[in-house]
Amino acid sequence: MPINTLATATQFMNTLDKIAVQDAVTGWMDANAGQVIYRGGKEVKIPKLSVQGMGEYDRDDGYKQGSITMEYETRTMTQDRGRKFQLDPVDIDETNFVATAGAVMGEFQRVHVIPEIDAYRISKVATETIAAKKAGMVSYGYMPGATGTSALRKFKEGIKAIREIGYNGPLVIHATPDMIMEYELEIAGKITAATFSQGGINTQVPSIDGVPIISTPANRMYTAITVYDGTTEGQKQGGYVKGATALNINFMILLRTTPIALTKQDIMRIFDPTVNQKLNAWQMDYRRFHDIWVLDNKLDSIYISIKDAEPSA
């Protein structure tokens, strides 16, 4: 019996979208896109709300009239990425196609898609935070484990910097395994855990002052990345690499409501061997849009610790 490729594609698309949010270490950022309007394609509309401050109350005239401004800002997801995969029918039969295709697409997303989304988000937030030059929100030249240094103190300095500006909401820390190891060695036996929810899944993670610390691979903690186009010589393998001038990040602290991230898979197409015009093979077309935004007035709610020395001007 032929497989309903439309239903199969839809099932894959929904499942892969859910996995992308659950497995990405930055998947918690997608929760902030709840009010974003997305109707397919690259464009999204982000709500911007502003209200006037308080005025004097008058016993005769009462309250001063205030104004509310609610508008949507159109943004474009700059990351439009994809790949095509083909499975020879000699290697699989119709009844096994779904299982085989699921394994292929799941591995592709786990090994390549999710790390790239994480690295892109972290690098973009870092780039914009550094460019904003908010006083005291970026520190350079800290090597975890160096003599006379304290990972605990560094974490606390970052939390204090954000709290002093007036942000009292929940924070999230992304830190490299090296940074977390130094912190755990310093407070061995006194580590506290926090419940961290992401994509409907609750996990226990180490914390400091109630702030969850998300272990993030060092190869996703760069201030800039270069994404390969998959076509140019030397870039045919696709994916991403550390940017030529990128610096290594130790940790990043963010107000949980600050980053607005969105990742959406475009309609996944599956062609069976009788439809595929190029080869006698199953063909799967995978395409994903994604991006992240930080509103200008929230750039002072991010603190970054960088391992390298500050670049000279």
Side-chain angles (χ1 to χ4, degrees), residues 28-97:
W28 62 270
M29 300 178 181
D30 291 77
N32 294 332
Q35 294 184 338
V36 171
I37 296 176
Y38 177 73
R39 296 193 175 98
K42 291 184 178 183
E43 285 193 350
V44 299
K45 294 184 182 297
I46 300 175
K48 294 178 68 176
L49 174 66
S50 62
V51 295
Q52 288 183 315
M54 291 193 294
E56 293 293 335
Y57 179 82
D58 189 284
R59 293 191 178 188
D60 294 321
D61 297 329
Y63 299 96
K64 299 296 186 293
Q65 179 65 47
S67 67
I68 302 172
T69 302
M70 178 67 175
E71 58 185 6
Y72 282 86
E73 181 177 341
T74 300
R75 297 287 187 98
T76 300
M77 287 188 278
T78 61
Q79 301 303 294
D80 183 356
R81 309 282 282 163
R83 271 294 188 184
K84 175 173 66 177
F85 296 95
Q86 294 183 331
L87 294 171
D88 195 294
V90 172
D91 298 324
I92 56 174
D93 59 34
E94 286 186 349
T95 58
N96 193 42
F97 168 73

Side-chain angles (χ1 to χ4, degrees), residues 255-267:
L255 188 69
R256 183 147 189 168
T257 56
T258 287
I260 302 172
L262 190 66
T263 174
K264 289 292 182 181
Q265 184 172 323
D266 197 21
I267 296 174

Side-chain angles (χ1 to χ4, degrees), residues 35-222:
Q35 294 184 338
V36 171
I37 296 176
Y38 177 73
R39 296 193 175 98
K42 291 184 178 183
E43 285 193 350
V44 299
K45 294 184 182 297
I46 300 175
K48 294 178 68 176
L49 174 66
S50 62
V51 295
Q52 288 183 315
M54 291 193 294
E56 293 293 335
Y57 179 82
D58 189 284
R59 293 191 178 188
D60 294 321
D61 297 329
Y63 299 96
K64 299 296 186 293
Q65 179 65 47
S67 67
I68 302 172
T69 302
M70 178 67 175
E71 58 185 6
Y72 282 86
E73 181 177 341
T74 300
R75 297 287 187 98
T76 300
M77 287 188 278
T78 61
Q79 301 303 294
D80 183 356
R81 309 282 282 163
R83 271 294 188 184
K84 175 173 66 177
F85 296 95
Q86 294 183 331
L87 294 171
D88 195 294
V90 172
D91 298 324
I92 56 174
D93 59 34
E94 286 186 349
T95 58
N96 193 42
F97 168 73
V98 172
T100 305
V104 171
M105 301 312 294
E107 184 72 357
F108 169 63
Q109 186 155 280
R110 183 185 68 83
V111 175
H112 298 287
V113 177
I114 289 172
E116 182 176 319
I117 291 175
D118 283 336
Y120 172 78
R121 289 177 175 180
I122 290 169
S123 67
K124 187 174 181 183
V125 169
T127 296
E128 293 186 0
T129 302
I130 293 170
K133 297 182 178 180
K134 301 292 183 179
M137 303 312 287
V138 181
S139 66
Y140 295 89
Y142 173 67
M143 180 69 68
T147 303
T149 65
S150 167
L152 174 61
R153 183 177 184 85
K154 286 297 180 181
F155 278 138
K156 282 185 168 289
E157 286 175 350
I159 293 172
K160 177 185 175 185
I162 294 176
R163 295 302 191 206
E164 281 189 333
I165 294 174
Y167 293 107
N168 296 315
L171 304 176
V172 177
I173 299 174
H174 280 283
T176 62
D178 281 350
M179 191 73 196
I180 294 175
M181 182 183 74
E182 291 304 319
Y183 167 62
E184 291 177 337
L185 288 173
E186 284 183 50
I187 60 170
K190 301 178 182 178
I191 298 174
T192 58
T195 299
F196 187 74
S197 179
Q198 175 175 303
I201 296 178
N202 294 329
T203 56
Q204 289 288 304
V205 297
S207 68
I208 178 171
D209 295 341
V211 180
I213 304 173
I214 311 303
S215 181
T216 306
N219 61 4
R220 303 181 200 182
M221 296 281 277
Y222 302 136

